[in-house]
């Protein structure tokens, strides 16, 4: 199993959810986050001066998938989240040793 951590533009949230649902991946955790990368923030200039906002609103998706669904999920996220502009986000893939359903009191050989 792998965990996909995808950081995307907030306006792409619904499209990413629908894209993942469309390939059969329904479980996900969605968190509003702030951060910065190469985009380095936004500079706003007004009559009273210049302000730099260097923490930009993003949305973080955390999705745990079986290995055979990994590339399909990555492709689906990229397809809908890509605007062709800096700040579209990033995708990280992490190994998951085990997954335990609390309600069913499962055990895991971690």
């Amino acid at each position: 199993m792998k965990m996909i951590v995808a950081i995307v533009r907030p306006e792409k949230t619904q499209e990413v959810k629908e894209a993942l649902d469309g390939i059969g991946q329904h479980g996900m955790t969605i968190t509003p986050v702030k951060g910065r990368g190469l985009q380095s923030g936004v500079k706003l200039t007004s009559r009273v001066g210049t302000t730099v906002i260097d923490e930009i609103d993003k949305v973080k998706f955390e999705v745990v998938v079986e290995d055979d669904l990994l590339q399909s999920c990555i492709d689906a996220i990229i397809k809908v989240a890509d605007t062709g502009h800096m700040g579209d986000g990033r995708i990280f893939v992490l190994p998951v040793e085990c997954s335990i359903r609390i309600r069913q009191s499962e055990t895991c050989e971690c």
Side-chain angles (χ1 to χ4, degrees):
M1 283 188 292
K2 301 285 191 271
M3 176 183 278
I4 299 170
V5 178
I7 311 294
V8 301
R9 295 173 180 269
E11 62 269 21
K12 295 294 186 172
T13 302
Q14 190 61 36
E15 291 176 66
V16 171
K17 287 192 318 190
E18 290 170 0
L20 291 172
D21 276 341
I23 60 169
Q25 180 59 44
H26 306 293
M28 62 192 79
T29 301
I30 304 165
T31 311
V33 295
K34 290 182 179 284
R36 62 181 276 182
L38 291 175
Q39 196 175 6
S40 301
V42 178
K43 185 185 286 189
L44 303 172
T45 305
S46 67
R47 291 180 290 178
V48 295
T50 301
T51 303
V52 175
I53 301 171
D54 62 354
E55 293 178 344
I56 299 170
D57 290 334
K58 299 289 182 181
V59 174
K60 178 170 71 170
F61 283 82
E62 294 170 300
V63 183
V64 176
V65 299
E66 296 295 336
D67 290 342
D68 60 337
L69 195 56
L70 177 66
Q71 195 59 53
S72 297
C73 286
I74 291 170
D75 293 343
I77 294 167
I78 290 171
K79 182 178 179 181
V80 299
D82 182 15
T83 67
H85 295 93
M86 188 180 295
D88 281 345
R90 286 195 69 109
I91 297 174
F92 304 94
V93 178
L94 309 163
V96 174
E97 291 188 30
C98 61
S99 172
I100 301 165
R101 287 188 195 107
I102 295 172
R103 179 179 56 86
Q104 296 176 347
S105 301
E106 292 177 337
T107 60
C108 185
E109 300 289 325
C110 296

